[in-house]
Structures are given as structure tokens and as C-alpha cells.
Amino acid sequence: MELTVSASENINGTLILPIFEGSDGVPEKCQTGMSSSMKNQINRVLSTGDFKAKKKSTMTLYGGEDGKAILVGLGKSDDCTVHDYRNAGASVTATIKKSHGTEMTVRFDGAGISHMAAFAEGMMLRDYSYDEYKKKDEEEEETEVSIRINCSEKEEEELVGQVNVLKGVCKGVHLSRDLGNCPPNDMYPEVFADMARDWAKDFDNVDVTIINYDEAIKAGMGGLVAVGKGSSRKPCMVIFEMNKDVKGRCPVLVGKGITFDTGGISLKPGANMDEMKYDMGGSATVFGTMEALAQTGYEGKVVGITCMAENMPAANATRPGDVIKGLSGKTIEILNTDAEGRLVLSDGLWKAAEFDPEYIIDFATLTGACVVALGHEATGLWSNDDDFRTRIHEAGNAVGELAWPMPLLPAFEKEMTDSKIADTRNLGAGRWGGANTAAAFLKQFVPNRDYEKDGEQITWAHMDIAGTFWGAKTNMMVKNGATGIHVRTIYHLIANS
Ligand code: BES
Ligand code: ZN
Ligand code: ZN
């Protein structure tokens, strides 16, 4: 899809018309250049109530020589938000078929600039399918659809600016989805690292450093090594540094990158195990956010750390009962090898303090318990700083990606630090509150500033995206598979605050 903004009054190709519930005819402002038969047809379906303009609904009108129109509902005008515009845009993309042609024009009835931009964003976000592994019909050429957003001359410059930024951010979301959807035989730690290295070549302001398996062992990354050593695809840590010469503190993003989670020796049941290819969703969020920031020319410093490993059972795999020591120097009693995300993250979080973080946010498809708590509707959000947690919650709300505040209680920390033989344990004492105990475990590995023993702990948030990175049927922005969740939230948090 190629999307442009234009103050021209022509209708090119199929007309896309967002409509409020209760409209009984084509809005005055939208009538310019419209044939009277098309106008009559639209007026008829609106006045008879055949098209009620409910949120996300669409109807196509085929007007023969007079062209076609796609009507899309915005719901009632008095409670119509940017989210409704974004959803309407996504509904249109979901509706578009070959029969609609390759050129389209969107015409709004007095929408604000950010509403028009949100509609364009919804159109672009939904314009995604993962068909790398499908046979391509050589005869059939891929045709690109051109969408023109009509606006007034006064609005044109600002809308072009907003849409261009959103295009860059969408690239980040789509990259995150590509990484998540890629099958695990082709997406393993080394592949992710190679992709990151190649990607960075396109940008002067990004450096990618890879800490390979041998280096990870030497550096003492016991968590990463414990999880990844049972696989023939060895683990690694990938570090993205953007604008590294900029002075001062910066956001540090840490991602769980388990390219396949069998559970290890604590093997998972077979049903739906294929879904564990999405267990690198946290690392995809980090990489996708880097892409969004790079594409939009962000000039601040940002660091991303992805902890990549494949969790396999093997003769040399980590056992339940093993005690390991990671970068932090704290020991961990491994009671279940399926609670592996927190192990790789323990090293990623500890490493983060080397980059003098303003704050650290980690992203992880960490627990089934989080999916039990919040379904596929919201990410679980924990933080050691209430104000920071609120900022992330609000950034999510602003872009329509819900992140729900969850409790980081001392009792959960106690549960995760009362191992009989080690400093911490990777499993709670019982099965209850599993998403909270996981978060409390991670907190043990968030360093104090400059690693000072009695210093202040760095501001940190944990986002459990186990339910929102994939399987989100009510997320209009994506048809199926990986969602690319929180690239937009974190872009918004970093670039707009
Ligand atoms: N990758 C899983 C969590 C997960 C489950 C993600 C479902 C997406 C959908 C994680 O590594 C895991 O297996 N967690 C265990 C932890 C338990 C052993 C304490 C879980 O949630 O059951
Ligand atoms: Zn697991
Ligand atoms: Zn996992």
C-alpha cells in the first residue's frame, strides 16, 4: 500500500468515506467531484438505514461507470476518538479486495488532523500478511494499492508530517511481526543477530554488538548460557545502540528472545507447542522499536538488549535442581527449566546498567499466568516506580495498546528469594500469582545505579506480553499471528515525551 496526502479535490478510483452513525446522506464537505448517481446511492443506503455506520462496519457500493465507494462506520460523532478512526482505517484495509481496484481516495467530513492520521495509521498497520513461505504464482504480479488522503490546503503540511512519522513507526511494527511469525527452524539466535547486524548497516547512527556463546560464557552470563546450552543453535546477546555519542542517560529496552520454548527438561505438553515460536516476542518488540526510531530519524540515545536462546531438552541441557550464577553474581536455583525467560532476562537486566539508563523496560512473553489474568486484551505492567508505571500505561492508552498495572508486592519477592540453597529460585512456592512472582524475580536483577551496593535501584518496568504479542483476535490492527505490540507504545513514550 502506498499512502499519500493531497489537497486536490479529485476522487481517484474508489472513494473511501468514513461516516458517523445517524448520518442520512453524504456530508456536504465530501460531495465535491462526486457523480450524482454515486451520491444518490450513498444517500439511499444511509437514509434507509441499510448502512448504519456502526464502529468498524463497512459497505461497498458498486456504481458501474460512476466508480465504487467503501463506506466505513465511525460510530456516534460525539464519542468518536482517534482509536475509532484508527480502527475504521484498519477495517477498510481488511475489506479491500482486487475488485476495489488499485487507486482509492479517502474523504473526511471535518476530521481533525490527528484523527485523519490515525485513520491512515490503521490502514497501514492492517496492511500486512506473512506469506514468505507460500508458493507465489509467477504469472500474478503483486499490485500495489495507492491510497490518497484528501485534506484542505491548510492541513496538508501537518498531515504529511504526521503520516510520514506513522509510516516509519509502522515499519517497526511490521518488522516485529515478521520476526515473530518466522518459523523457528529459520529464526534462531544467530539468525536474529545476523539480521540485526545487517539492518544496522543502513543507518549511520546505529551500532549492533553481538555477544556470542563463547563470549557469554566468558562474561559470566550464566542465565543466558543455562537456557541456551542444550540447543545446537547457541545463545547470544544482541545489543543495539542508537546515537551512542549523545551525552546523558537514555532509555534501555531489554527483550526476551526465546526463539523456541520447548520447556527444556521440564518439557511442555505437545498441544499448541508450535505457538512457542512467538517466545521471542520481547526481542521483536525491541528490534521493531529500534526500526521505528531509526526510520523516523530519532536523534536521542536509546539502547536495546535482546537475550536470544532456544530452550531445548538435551543430554547437556540444564536440569531442574541445578544452581547457576549469572552476571549479577546472585545464585539461582532452577526448579523448572520452563521458567527460562526470567533467566535470560536476569543477565540482560544486569547488563543494562552499563549504559547508564534513564530507565529500563523489559518485554517478555513471560508467563501463561499473565494470559490467564488478562487474556489477549492487555499486557501485564509492573514497575518499581508508580509514576513511571503510569507513564507507560498512559503511553499505551494514547496509541490504543493496553498495558494493565499489576502489583509488585514484597510477599512475591520473598517467595522468589527463599530458596533453601541459593539466593533466588526461578519458581514460586505455589501456582498462584505466577505472573507476579515472575516480575518479583526479575526485580532481583535490576541493578542499582552504577552497580553501587547501597545505591538507588534504577527505574524499571516489566511488560509481560505473553497474551498480547500473538493470538489477539480483537486487535483490529492485525489479521492473525504476531501483533508487533508495544512498538508504538514505546515509540510514543520515547519520542513524544
Ligand atoms: N514462554 C512461556 C510463557 C508463555 C505461555 C508465553 C503461554 C505465551 C503463552 C514461559 O517460558 C513459560 O513456560 N512459563 C511458565 C512458567 C512456570 C513454569 C513457572 C508458565 O507460564 O507456565
Ligand atoms: Zn518456558
Ligand atoms: Zn518462554
Side-chain angles (χ1 to χ4, degrees):
M1 175 180 293
E2 174 64 29
L3 201 139
T4 53
V5 171
S6 162
S8 131
E9 294 201 318
N10 293 344
I11 298 175
N12 266 27
T14 297
L15 171 68
I16 298 171
L17 203 57
I19 299 272
F20 291 119
E21 208 174 315
S23 310
D24 57 2
V26 179
E28 191 82 29
K29 266 195 81 190
C30 301
Q31 295 186 5
T32 325
M34 193 181 287
S35 72
S36 53
S37 65
M38 177 55 81
K39 195 162 67 189
N40 291 342
Q41 229 190 114
I42 299 175
N43 285 344
R44 208 159 37 240
V45 295
L46 291 177
S47 60
T48 56
D50 286 340
F51 184 69
K52 294 192 173 58
K54 298 262 183 220
K55 286 176 184 178
K56 303 178 211 169
S57 62
T58 60
M59 180 186 266
T60 299
L61 300 174
Y62 294 93
E65 283 169 16
D66 292 324
K68 300 170 189 119
I70 301 175
L71 309 183
V72 54
L74 291 168
K76 298 203 174 75
S77 65
D78 48 3
D79 72 352
C80 187
T81 65
V82 278
H83 306 304
D84 297 316
Y85 274 87
R86 193 185 300 108
N87 280 330
S91 303
V92 170
T93 300
T95 301
I96 292 174
K97 295 186 197 62
K98 269 211 183 98
S99 59
H100 290 106
T102 56
E103 303 222 350
M104 301 181 199
T105 302
V106 189
R107 210 169 250 191
F108 294 98
D109 176 24
I113 291 177
S114 51
H115 292 75
M116 293 191 269
F119 187 94
E121 183 186 28
M123 287 200 81
M124 294 188 290
L125 284 169
R126 182 67 191 238
D127 181 35
Y128 176 88
S129 63
Y130 189 73
D131 40 26
E132 293 293 304
Y133 290 82
K134 287 199 170 172
K135 191 163 121 251
K136 306 239 169 17
D137 192 342
E138 278 169 21
E139 307 263 288
E140 210 173 302
E141 259 183 53
E142 286 261 313
T143 43
E144 187 160 54
V145 179
S146 302
I147 312 278
R148 210 162 70 177
I149 308 270
N150 270 13
C151 65
S152 70
E153 268 176 34
K154 223 168 60 213
E155 295 161 330
E156 193 176 9
E157 195 180 332
E158 194 177 336
L159 185 55
V160 167
Q162 288 197 19
V163 167
N164 282 343
V165 169
L166 292 169
K167 277 183 188 175
V169 178
C170 276
K171 283 191 179 162
V173 177
H174 289 173
L175 170 61
S176 166
R177 291 180 190 169
D178 280 347
L179 295 163
N181 287 326
C182 187
N185 54 328
D186 285 341
M187 173 55 63
Y188 47 91
E190 200 184 336
V191 170
F192 185 98
D194 287 345
M195 280 182 71
R197 196 178 6 224
D198 287 347
W199 168 83
K201 286 183 191 148
D202 288 342
F203 303 97
D204 293 339
N205 61 338
V206 191
D207 293 288
V208 164
T209 310
I210 294 153
I211 300 175
N212 68 25
Y213 183 50
D214 291 338
E215 290 162 343
I217 293 172
K218 234 180 260 159
M221 295 182 173
L224 187 74
V225 169
V227 175
K229 69 179 182 176
S231 170
S232 57
R233 323 282 209 188
K234 292 299 184 233
C236 62
M237 189 178 275
V238 182
I239 301 177
F240 302 74
E241 288 176 90
M242 177 173 290
N243 302 314
K244 68 193 279 192
D245 297 330
V246 172
K247 296 265 169 304
R249 289 183 176 160
C250 69
V252 180
L253 313 177
V254 179
K256 167 179 173 181
I258 303 300
T259 57
F260 195 73
D261 182 11
T262 64
I265 298 296
S266 314
L267 194 64
K268 284 182 181 295
N272 304 322
M273 203 201 271
D274 58 291
E275 289 167 353
M276 283 302 114
K277 72 169 184 172
Y278 297 120
D279 212 21
M280 36 62 69
S283 63
T285 305
V286 173
F287 196 166
T289 304
M290 288 292 161
E291 165 79 339
L293 291 165
Q295 287 290 344
T296 53
Y298 183 67
E299 290 178 349
K301 180 160 70 173
V302 183
V303 171
I305 299 175
T306 59
C307 312
M308 311 306 302
E310 186 178 50
N311 189 20
M312 289 295 225
N316 64 331
T318 294
R319 294 158 286 255
D322 285 357
V323 173
I324 61 156
K325 190 191 277 187
L327 274 189
S328 69
K330 294 185 187 183
T331 54
I332 306 170
E333 183 183 13
I334 297 177
L335 293 165
N336 188 318
T337 62
D338 195 14
E340 83 299 336
R342 59 197 77 182
L343 301 178
V344 300
L345 287 173
S346 69
D347 285 334
L349 289 168
W350 198 261
K351 181 84 183 161
E354 280 182 21
F355 300 92
D356 193 17
E358 176 191 345
Y359 55 75
I360 303 169
I361 310 177
D362 76 71
F363 309 89
T365 47
L366 201 65
T367 64
C370 191
V371 194
V372 173
L374 299 172
H376 292 281
E377 300 308 321
T379 292
L381 171 63
W382 292 257
S383 177
N384 59 358
D385 178 324
D386 291 349
D387 291 338
F388 185 53
R389 195 187 54 226
T390 301
R391 268 178 71 197
I392 297 178
H393 175 64
E394 285 174 355
N397 288 348
V399 302
E401 296 184 325
L402 301 190
W404 216 256
M406 299 284 275
L408 197 60
L409 304 180
F412 295 128
E413 290 192 59
K414 191 157 180 293
E415 195 173 328
M416 302 308 283
T417 50
D418 84 341
S419 160
K420 298 273 181 307
I421 63 164
D423 301 326
T424 63
R425 47 188 285 160
N426 82 331
L427 193 66
R431 56 189 285 252
W432 307 118
N436 299 309
T437 48
F441 176 89
L442 293 180
K443 183 168 178 274
Q444 310 312 309
F445 300 91
V446 177
N448 295 341
R449 287 227 162 269
D450 305 316
Y451 297 112
E452 282 200 15
K453 196 165 168 295
D454 297 315
E456 179 202 7
Q457 191 172 43
I458 295 169
T459 303
W460 155 79
H462 159 56
M463 301 184 80
D464 192 334
I465 56 173
T468 48
F469 185 73
W470 61 281
K473 292 197 177 63
T474 56
N475 183 343
M476 275 299 296
M477 300 306 131
V478 62
K479 189 173 178 199
N480 53 34
T483 59
I485 196 81
H486 294 317
V487 168
R488 295 190 303 117
T489 305
I490 305 305
Y491 176 82
H492 185 66
L493 179 80
I494 293 177
N496 299 336
S497 65

